[in-house]
């Protein structure tokens, strides 16, 4: 990401946003993340960050409270505990325990199905936390709630702790007895006792110090008081001191064992910490977004800005406590327009609007929600250039205008079509005519580079240039002429006036001075400004009317196209109804054929061959006529349907059977026949029976083919080939098996009769030719026996 100048974040006040987000962080590591926040150009990463933040914000709105609380970095502690034999301080172990506890709480929180359902992205983050519960159990066993080593952390420590308590009770009894004795003798001063070098001592008047046997530990600055440890408690004090030394040694051994227990979990601890920091950053952005009512807009890779009801977040924060309204603005450049030349009165909101565009863009590309309507659209810019405010540099010996020109040089050299440029008071700082001319030349160059930009100016020549040039549009900040006050509302499509004379009179500048200035500028300047505003208004009006006409023409074209398509569909549907009727007629003929076969058989038995022949020929002709009529009607309908389809049947294209949903690739086309690959099966199918599809259906791991047959063509898993000639029966069987495979049938029943066994053997011979036939057998005698063959595919 290219940002210019170096202080662009300060100029757009992005640093103020960062500080506010940091105030919501629970850890210093999250704050450090925002101190080094990266402005991204990868759409997927930006969307991921925005979606996570939006999800957390919605959780806040639902009143959810994720169990995450303040924690500190354990990175250095983990690096130390990796070293064999290293013993961490108790505070460091306490910090590790804190992070592990938060991780376990979050894991437990998302075990609730409802929480995981409403927060899938956060649940995915927490899924990275993998903690052995024995870690917290062991730390709990050693440390208490305050983070101190428990007295019973080991048997030896418990023994030492009991001895210390016993000795301290004995010490208290002896010390108090001695204290009471010497107090009654009047040897002690008012404070009676004190603490010196970790020992309880008497505060003795200097003149009585020889009367109390013991060790003098100290004396007061005046020398009037001495601090004496009585002789009777010295040995007990030594015992207590030694016991405490033993206790420290035992605690060291316990902590060393605990660190050895923690050591294998070092890598996992850093993963947990990284996850908590990630959640902390998401939480901070979400809480800030909730505070300023920010939302998730549409984001696309292509550079664009189309802002609806957008607010400057810094103004929202500024007015947070005084409830002053913040005026929103809309900024959408229609058509090929990419550059907005914004004009209007001083203090009318031009600079605020310009800064808002840049600030919201930086927020979005750093993964934050923005203060704009959720229907707003943001693109991704790879370069952002800003020229705002006084650029004077004493260090570089540059005047304000020279600094502006240097910025323009760098901008014109580096900018491209993926750049966003923000320039405030374009061309100011030098002679208006020369400055305006240079500004116009720079604007022309930037327009040729197809950059996106928001530019504020008072120069009429730039407004006029924006009026003439393609890709540039004027905009203005509204001004209440009646009350001579800015309304801070933006209007895209027409330039604005500076209203300098009106403002001058309102603030009380002498009328004679204002009149003199008006005389010096003459009427032409004002007339040109008004004319430009009028022209822009008329131009916008005509553009709106043209857009409306084009939209109506487009709607009319679509309606005509829809009508023609519906008319063609209606015609096809009519003919399909006819096809269904003809199919029913053909089925009826087939049924009659079966009955006729029986009659023919009876006639043959009666030896009337001539009558049988005539009946057979008549029946066959009737059947052929019905099928021929059906096929012709199908050809007509399907040919029309194919011609109106947007997808074409060609080699390499995908198609499906007209009576199913399985698809395959067309391998070759020969006249009206196509060879199509469906899984492991290659079929030769008439083109008329195929329908082109856009994408192939994914073939399952078993390479089975699934099809759906319409009610009019439902597959029957049983076939009866008795009473047919051998050739007709085998042809029917082959078609039956092919259809069964296409429809993913599982079991079939073939009725062939017993007879001499010829047909049974022919059936078995054909079944052996199909690789997809798993097994076949004859059922029990009561279910058909040798006259029936059952098939499993």
């Amino acid at each position: 990401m290219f940002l210019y100048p170096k202080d662009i974040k300060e100029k757009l006040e992005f640093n103020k946003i960062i500080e506010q987000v940091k105030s919501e962080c629970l850890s210093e590591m999250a704050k450090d993340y925002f101190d080094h926040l990266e402005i991204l150009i990868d759409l997927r990463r930006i969307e991921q960050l925005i979606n996570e933040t939006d999800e957390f914000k919605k959780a806040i709105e639902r009143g959810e409270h994720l169990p995450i609380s303040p924690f500190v970095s354990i990175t250095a502690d983990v690096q130390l505990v990796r070293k064999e034999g290293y013993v961490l301080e108790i505070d460091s172990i306490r910090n590790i325990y804190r992070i592990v506890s938060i991780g376990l709480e979050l894991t437990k929180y998302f075990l609730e199905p409802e929480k995981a359902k409403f927060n899938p992205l956060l649940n995915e983050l927490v899924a990275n936390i993998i903690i052995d519960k024995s870690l917290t159990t062991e730390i709990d066993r050693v440390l208490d709630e305050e983070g101190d080593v428990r007295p019973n952390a080991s048997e030896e420590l418990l023994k030492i702790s009991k001895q210390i308590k016993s000795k301290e009770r004995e010490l208290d009894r002896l010390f108090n007895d001695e204290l009471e004795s010497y107090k009654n003798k009047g040897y002690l001063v008012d404070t009676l006792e004190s603490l010196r070098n970790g020992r309880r001592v008497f505060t003795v008047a200097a003149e009585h110090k020889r009367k109390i046997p013991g060790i003098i530990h100290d004396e007061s600055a005046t020398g009037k008081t001495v601090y004496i440890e009585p002789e009777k408690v010295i040995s007990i004090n030594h015992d207590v001191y030694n016991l405490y030394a033993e206790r420290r040694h035992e605690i060291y051994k316990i902590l060393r064992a605990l660190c050895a227990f923690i050591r294998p979990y070092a890598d996992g601890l850093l993963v947990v910490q990284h996850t908590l920091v990630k959640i902390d950053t998401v939480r901070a952005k979400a809480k800030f977004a909730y505070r300023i009512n920010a939302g998730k807009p549409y984001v696309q890779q292509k550079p664009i800005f189309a802002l609806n009801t957008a607010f400057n977040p810094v103004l929202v924060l500024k007015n947070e406590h005084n409830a002053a309204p913040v005026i929103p603005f809309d900024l959408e450049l229609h058509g090929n327009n990419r550059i907005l030349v914004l004009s209007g009165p001083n203090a009318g909101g031009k600079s605020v609007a310009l800064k808002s565009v840049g600030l919201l863009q930086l927020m979005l590309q750093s993964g934050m929600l923005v203060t704009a309507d959720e229907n707003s659209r943001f693109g991704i810019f790879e370069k952002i250039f800003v020229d705002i405010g006084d650029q004077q540099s004493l260090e570089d010996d540059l005047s304000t205008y020279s600094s502006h020109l240097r910025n323009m040089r760098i901008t014109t050299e580096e900018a491209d079509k993926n750049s966003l440029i923000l320039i405030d008071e374009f061309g100011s700082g030098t002679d208006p005519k020369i400055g305006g001319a240079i500004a116009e030349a720079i604007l022309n160059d930037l327009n040729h580079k197809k950059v996106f930009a928001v530019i504020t100016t008072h120069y009429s020549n730039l407004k006029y240039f924006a009026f003439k040039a393609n890709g540039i549009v004027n905009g203005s900040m509204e001004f209440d002429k009646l009350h001579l006050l800015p309304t801070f509302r933006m209007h895209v499509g027409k330039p604005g006036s500076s209203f300098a004379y009106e403002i001058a009179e309102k603030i009380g500048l002498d009328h004679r001075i204002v009149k003199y200035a008006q005389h010096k500028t003459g009427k032409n300047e004002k007339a040109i400004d008004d004319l430009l505003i009028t022209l822009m208004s008329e131009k916008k009006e005509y553009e709106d009317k043209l857009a409306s006409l084009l939209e109506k023409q487009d709607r009319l074209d679509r309606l005509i196209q829809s009508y023609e398509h519906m008319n063609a569909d209606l015609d096809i549907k009519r003919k399909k109804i006819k096809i269904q009727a003809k199919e029913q007629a053909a089925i009826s003929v087939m049924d009659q054929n079966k009955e006729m076969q029986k009659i023919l058989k009876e006639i043959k038995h009666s030896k009337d061959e001539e009558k049988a022949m005539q009946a057979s020929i008549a029946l066959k002709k009737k059947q052929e006529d019905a099928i021929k009529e059906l096929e012709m009607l199908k050809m007509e309908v399907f040919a029309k349907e194919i011609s109106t389809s947007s997808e074409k049947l060609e080699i390499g294209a995908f198609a499906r059977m007209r009576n199913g949903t399985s698809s395959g690739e067309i391998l070759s086309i020969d006249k009206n026949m196509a060879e199509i690959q469906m899984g492991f099966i290659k079929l030769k199918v008439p083109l008329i029976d195929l329908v082109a599809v856009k994408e192939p259906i994914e073939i399952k791991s078993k390479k089975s083919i699934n099809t759906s047959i319409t009610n009019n063509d439902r597959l029957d898993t049983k076939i009866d080939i008795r009473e047919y000639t051998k050739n007709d029966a085998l042809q029917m069987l082959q078609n039956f098996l092919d259809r069964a495979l296409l429809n993913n049938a599982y079991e079939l029943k073939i009725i062939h009769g017993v007879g001499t066994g010829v047909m049974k053997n022919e059936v078995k011979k054909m079944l052996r030719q199909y690789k997809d036939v798993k097994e076949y057998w004859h059922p029990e005698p009561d279910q058909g026996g040798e006259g029936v063959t059952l098939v499993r595919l």
Side-chain angles (χ1 to χ4, degrees), residues 10 52 134 297 366 393 445 578 710:
E10 287 73 25
E52 289 169 352
S134 62
S366 63
S393 173
D445 182 72
K578 288 184 181 179
T710 60

Side-chain angles (χ1 to χ4, degrees), residues 76-92:
D77 298 324
V78 170
Q79 296 304 328
L80 290 172
V81 84
R82 288 181 193 275
K83 299 176 182 177
E84 193 68 34
Y86 192 89
V87 180
L88 294 173
E89 297 292 333
I90 289 181
D91 284 346
S92 297

Side-chain angles (χ1 to χ4, degrees), residues 35-102:
D35 282 334
H36 302 89
L37 189 61
E38 184 183 1
I39 309 300
L40 306 170
I41 59 174
D42 181 13
L43 178 62
R44 290 183 64 183
R45 281 188 66 194
I46 292 168
E47 286 183 328
Q48 177 73 15
L49 293 172
I50 289 174
N51 289 336
E52 289 169 352
T53 306
D54 185 57
E55 186 173 281
F56 206 121
K57 175 175 169 265
K58 287 176 179 174
I60 295 171
E61 291 170 344
R62 289 193 299 269
E64 291 186 37
H65 298 281
L66 268 72
I68 181 170
S69 50
F71 58 95
V72 298
S73 173
I74 60 170
T75 304
D77 298 324
V78 170
Q79 296 304 328
L80 290 172
V81 84
R82 288 181 193 275
K83 299 176 182 177
E84 193 68 34
Y86 192 89
V87 180
L88 294 173
E89 297 292 333
I90 289 181
D91 284 346
S92 297
I93 297 174
R94 191 183 295 125
N95 292 337
I96 289 174
Y97 178 76
R98 179 73 182 154
I99 278 183
V100 171
S101 299
I102 295 171

